[in-house]
Amino acid sequence: MFKIQTLNKISAKGLNEFPREDYEVASSLQDADAILVRSQDMHQMDLPGTVKAVARAGAGTNNIPIPEFTKKGIVVFNTPGANANAVKELVILGILLASRPVIKANKWVNGLAGKGDEIAELAEKGKSQFVGPEIKGKKLGVIGLGAIGAMVANAAVDLGMEVIGYDPFLSVASAWRLNHNVKHAETLDTLLAKADYITIHVPQTNDTKGLINASTLRIMKDGVRIINIARGGLVNNADLLEALNSGKVECVVTDFAAEEILNNDKVICLPHLGASTPEAEENCAVMAVKQLRDFLEFGNITNSVNYPKCVSDNPIPAGGTRLCISHANTSGIVAKFTTILGDAKMNIAGMINQNRGELAYNIIDVDGIVPEETLRALATVETVTKVRPIFGKK
């Protein structure tokens, strides 16, 4: 019986993916095997040693202390792409809101309440103050062409925009998803100099924090419109305010509220609505649960933010053992595993070793039940952080 602790309200559609005969799921559990989380801050949490994995029902993992968990051998999953359509739709809405001042117009026309028969004439006379450009034929710069960026780029092409994309790490899979009309910018500066609208779709890292700053803003066209539904830290708000005040930036739509940008006539600030649709919450929950099950039941890792992808298509040997071992990516470690298993007269039926930077992960299938003393010997090999046996059914 696996124990799953939930730290936030998780979609029932996702939780229903856990077979109740094999899983206990609750918000308060002792000795949980895994944790499901959405937005709760885990940085100050003291996890029990039983925790093997944390799954974030969403793409961002800023609320999870990944380096600390990695040292403990805890695999951290996220759900890239599960909320992509919801975010894409909000970005397209943001582009339209940045163009046509409909929010200001709505507030103004509501102020005509009580004017009775005069309202229609007053509205007609006052509409000229809310003129905004069409997006058709305008240039949209998309920074980051992953699951969401690619969907935004394709939707913008369908709306008649000229789309320029920049992504130095563009994968083959992402490239295949792109409409052939999306133009590729060789450098970020090229995109910034050409775009009438800019939308950001990169993760927040040490390299991307403050990506939109005084230097990059200086390169942009006068009157540029910026949409940020990715991460608040990608934009330096102090530099942005200067650009708004000078007229360099005409409008900003952001999903990240901050004191310094609230109540600015040129800023449309939303309360982190990017994935706030029932469909996105369900998709993220289902994806997170399936990844946890695949890991807990079979040792497979997909969409981990700290460990390499490692998937075995083979069944666990009947009456045998699947060893899931995480360790530092240093030479000679795998040879020590095979020596220990050989000394214990255990036959290796299959082995997969994958690495990601300084980390490595192994799936080793062994005929027969690996005894406790052998598991302890494997765990004492230098740099090993976790040894987890999964026993096959007879």
Side-chain angles (χ1 to χ4, degrees), residues 297-316:
E297 297 173 30
F298 303 104
N300 293 326
I301 296 178
T302 53
N303 292 325
S304 170
V305 298
N306 57 344
Y307 276 88
K309 179 179 180 179
C310 190
V311 176
S312 173
D313 294 326
N314 299 321
I316 299 173

Side-chain angles (χ1 to χ4, degrees), residues 59-310:
T61 53
N62 293 345
N63 58 319
I64 302 172
I66 294 171
E68 177 187 333
F69 287 2
T70 302
K71 291 177 183 177
K72 296 179 179 180
I74 298 173
V75 180
V76 180
F77 297 94
N78 70 343
T79 56
N83 60 10
N85 188 70
V87 178
K88 175 208 75 176
E89 290 185 359
L90 191 64
V91 172
I92 296 301
L93 175 60
I95 294 171
L96 294 169
L97 291 176
S99 299
R100 306 288 291 274
V102 293
I103 294 178
K104 293 177 183 177
N106 174 253
K107 288 180 179 179
W108 176 82
V109 81
N110 282 337
L112 299 178
K115 301 290 185 180
D117 294 340
E118 299 177 64
I119 291 177
E121 184 178 352
L122 290 171
E124 191 67 26
K125 288 181 179 179
K127 70 180 183 181
S128 60
Q129 60 189 305
F130 304 110
V131 173
E134 297 180 13
I135 64 172
K136 184 177 180 180
K138 304 300 190 301
K139 292 182 175 65
L140 172 68
V142 182
I143 304 174
L145 294 167
I148 296 171
M151 291 180 72
V152 169
N154 292 344
V157 169
D158 290 341
L159 289 170
M161 301 189 80
E162 295 182 28
V163 181
I164 310 164
Y166 174 74
D167 191 333
F169 306 107
L170 182 65
S171 68
V172 173
S174 294
W176 275 107
R177 288 196 293 263
L178 283 172
N179 185 298
H180 70 277
N181 288 308
V182 176
K183 298 176 182 177
H184 178 246
E186 293 294 333
T187 67
L188 177 59
D189 287 359
T190 301
L191 179 149
L192 297 176
K194 292 182 177 180
D196 302 301
Y197 299 75
I198 293 171
T199 179
I200 315 165
H201 299 286
V202 296
Q204 183 177 316
T205 66
N206 290 335
D207 293 330
T208 62
K209 188 172 183 180
L211 177 68
I212 303 302
N213 55 47
S215 177
T216 51
L217 285 162
R218 199 173 298 117
I219 301 169
M220 297 178 195
K221 283 184 174 182
D222 291 342
V224 67
R225 291 166 166 86
I226 299 172
I227 294 87
N228 178 24
I229 313 294
R231 283 290 176 267
L234 297 171
V235 177
N236 182 308
N237 283 339
D239 293 346
L240 179 65
L241 281 173
E242 287 191 19
L244 287 164
N245 291 335
S246 70
K248 166 62 88 171
V249 177
E250 177 62 29
C251 183
V252 172
V253 179
T254 177
D255 210 15
F256 306 98
E259 181 69 36
E260 61 269 24
I261 59 175
L262 294 179
N263 296 314
N264 186 303
D265 285 344
K266 291 187 174 183
V267 178
I268 299 172
C269 194
L270 306 175
H272 204 183
L273 296 179
S276 295
T277 69
E279 294 88 350
E281 291 181 7
E282 289 179 354
N283 292 342
C284 288
V286 168
M287 188 173 180
V289 169
K290 287 183 176 180
Q291 289 171 173
L292 274 184
R293 286 193 60 190
D294 201 24
F295 174 70
L296 292 173
E297 297 173 30
F298 303 104
N300 293 326
I301 296 178
T302 53
N303 292 325
S304 170
V305 298
N306 57 344
Y307 276 88
K309 179 179 180 179
C310 190

